Amino acid sequence: MSDCIFCKIASGDIPAKKAFEDDDMVVFHDINPVAPVHLLAIPKKHIASLADAEPADALVMGKLLQTGARLAVEQGCTDGFRTLINTGRVGRQEVYHLHIHFVGGPDVLPPMLKR
Ligand code: AMP
Ligand code: ZN
């Protein structure tokens, strides 16, 4: 997708603070972090949202989770972290290229949603 900001990060056309990269995926630091550790894990393939993922994408989605978790721990989330995927309008997705947030740091996070 030529106008997708995360495709451009994946291709290196725009810079990001990358923590990991291989042929299938990139993990980079969120530009506007909500906690001391805030990583985004993306597939290099353009998948607009979690709702658009296909069976053939299952392997890379597993890699995103496993690699992102390893990096979150390496970055200091040794006592836990939160993993989040916003999907579509209701999920308040802002960037329409599938990404998994890994959020954490030394302190306990606030509740995920207000009851
Ligand atoms: P979401 O609401 O799940 O779509 O979140 C999109 C996330 O992408 C937000 O947390 C933004 O701060 C982050 N973001 C947007 N542009 C960039 C960028 N160029 N580099 C790093 N993170 C970005
Ligand atoms: Zn994209």
Side-chain angles (χ1 to χ4, degrees), residues 22-113:
D22 70 9
D23 287 346
D24 303 319
M25 60 173 285
V26 183
V27 181
F28 56 98
H29 294 261
D30 196 291
I31 204 167
N32 190 17
V34 299
V37 176
H38 189 166
L39 298 170
L40 300 175
I42 65 167
K44 285 194 169 175
K45 174 187 173 186
H46 181 84
I47 303 168
S49 81
L50 183 59
D52 298 291
E54 298 173 346
D57 301 320
L59 189 62
V60 73
M61 290 169 63
K63 278 184 66 174
L64 296 177
L65 281 172
Q66 194 275 330
T67 306
R70 176 175 64 77
L71 291 163
V73 172
E74 284 177 13
Q75 303 270 336
C77 297
T78 52
D79 202 17
F81 53 89
R82 180 168 293 151
T83 311
L84 189 73
I85 305 175
N86 295 319
T87 302
R89 181 183 64 86
V90 171
R92 298 196 176 213
Q93 184 175 358
E94 291 172 3
V95 177
Y96 277 78
H97 179 128
L98 174 62
H99 52 282
I100 306 177
H101 297 256
F102 293 85
V103 178
D107 301 324
V108 174
L109 297 167
M112 186 169 64
L113 294 171

